[in-house]
Amino acid sequence: MAFLTHLLVCVFGMGSWVAINGLWVELPLLVTKLPEGWYLPSYLTVVIQLANIGPLLVTLMHRFRPGCLSEVPVIFLILCVGTTACILLAFLWSMTSWIQGRQHSVAFIVLTFFLALVDCTSSVTFLPFMSQLPTYYLTTFFIGEGLSGLLPALVALVQGSGITTCVNVTETPGTTLNPVTTMETSITQVAVIPGGAHSVGDWLWDLQYGHGCYEPLPHPAGSLGWRSPYRALLDAVCSLSQLCQGDAGCDLA
């Protein structure tokens, strides 16, 4: 019986901040789906701070109407509100609304406010309720509060939340990449080959004779600078051209 009581007290303590902690660990996925993007953490911070109106109201009730407010019905009320908000978030988190010409995650932000209201109010209602139990249950209660942050983090690690992969893709001008949608966040590095699908020899030949081998090449800008690894290859091509044509006027220095 004592073990069951400790287990229930631990679960009771987990209900204090598990919802908001679960939202924070899912942020790497939410910012890629919701229109706020990386402004979303700032919105959530403001919403959570506004939810402190719940503890303020409870404190004012205890101050001006002592004995009028019982913790038990308040706890039942906030747990029902939190459960309803979690269920609605599962279906409405991605819904957006137009406000002042821009899309915003109104449903997500409003439901997050109610979740934060529940978690913030639990700080001033759960502990007074625990005073009705023997003091050694307080340790179990605080263990449950600690697990309210640990368990969502472990679940996010199992899900692979926020894993980023870097994929190298070679693309020629005029082609379009066909990205593959996965649960991971992918960053694509694209290497563009100038001039389309030509061989390296044709490209170097055009580069040499496009500027004229009988006059010094202008100082190039970009990836083919004089300190580029292509310089030695260009020197070799120009030397072969001089041998074939008997011309000594090509100078890359």
Side-chain angles (χ1 to χ4, degrees):
M1 186 64 182
F3 174 76
L4 179 60
T5 305
H6 279 286
L7 181 61
L8 293 176
V9 170
C10 183
V11 174
F12 181 67
M14 286 175 54
S16 57
W17 284 95
V18 67
I20 293 300
N21 289 332
L23 282 180
W24 281 117
V25 298
E26 296 294 340
L27 270 182
L29 297 178
L30 294 173
V31 295
T32 61
K33 301 295 183 181
L34 298 181
E36 286 80 9
W38 284 105
Y39 288 104
L40 188 62
S42 300
Y43 283 108
L44 291 184
T45 302
V46 174
V47 168
I48 293 172
Q49 296 305 315
L50 290 176
N52 283 306
I53 189 176
L56 178 62
L57 292 177
V58 173
T59 304
L60 292 177
M61 287 292 294
H62 284 304
R63 173 65 179 83
F64 295 104
R65 300 291 298 273
C68 180
L69 187 64
S70 176
E71 284 80 16
V72 175
V74 175
I75 290 174
F76 273 109
L77 177 62
I78 63 176
L79 289 180
C80 291
V81 171
T83 303
T84 305
C86 288
I87 294 174
L88 291 177
L89 267 178
F91 300 98
L92 305 178
W93 69 272
S94 59
M95 293 185 62
T96 58
S97 303
W98 287 93
I99 298 178
Q100 295 183 351
R102 296 183 60 184
Q103 283 189 328
H104 290 279
S105 308
V106 178
F108 177 81
I109 293 175
V110 170
L111 292 175
T112 300
F113 171 79
F114 284 104
L115 284 182
L117 184 66
V118 170
D119 293 353
C120 293
T121 309
S122 68
S123 300
V124 294
T125 55
F126 283 14
L127 276 178
F129 174 78
M130 288 299 301
S131 64
Q132 303 177 20
L133 299 177
T135 55
Y136 52 80
Y137 285 115
L138 281 177
T139 303
T140 307
F141 173 79
F142 288 121
I143 291 175
E145 277 197 339
L147 292 177
S148 69
L150 177 63
L151 287 184
L154 294 178
V155 172
L157 288 176
V158 173
Q159 289 178 336
S161 175
I163 292 180
T164 302
T165 57
C166 185
V167 181
N168 289 317
V169 178
T170 301
E171 179 189 11
T172 57
T175 61
T176 304
L177 290 177
N178 295 322
V180 179
T181 303
T182 63
M183 291 299 294
E184 300 177 352
T185 304
S186 299
I187 300 175
T188 303
Q189 291 183 346
V190 180
V192 180
I193 299 177
H198 296 287
S199 66
V200 177
D202 294 338
W203 177 55
L204 292 175
W205 186 271
D206 293 338
L207 179 64
Q208 177 187 356
Y209 286 99
H211 292 281
C213 188
Y214 300 101
E215 59 184 18
L217 291 173
H219 182 74
S223 60
L224 290 178
W226 296 130
R227 295 183 180 180
S228 169
Y230 294 105
R231 180 183 176 183
L233 188 57
L234 290 174
D235 290 339
V237 172
C238 191
S239 299
L240 290 175
S241 175
Q242 292 171 4
L243 291 176
C244 294
Q245 299 181 6
D247 180 24
C250 184
D251 184 12
L252 291 178

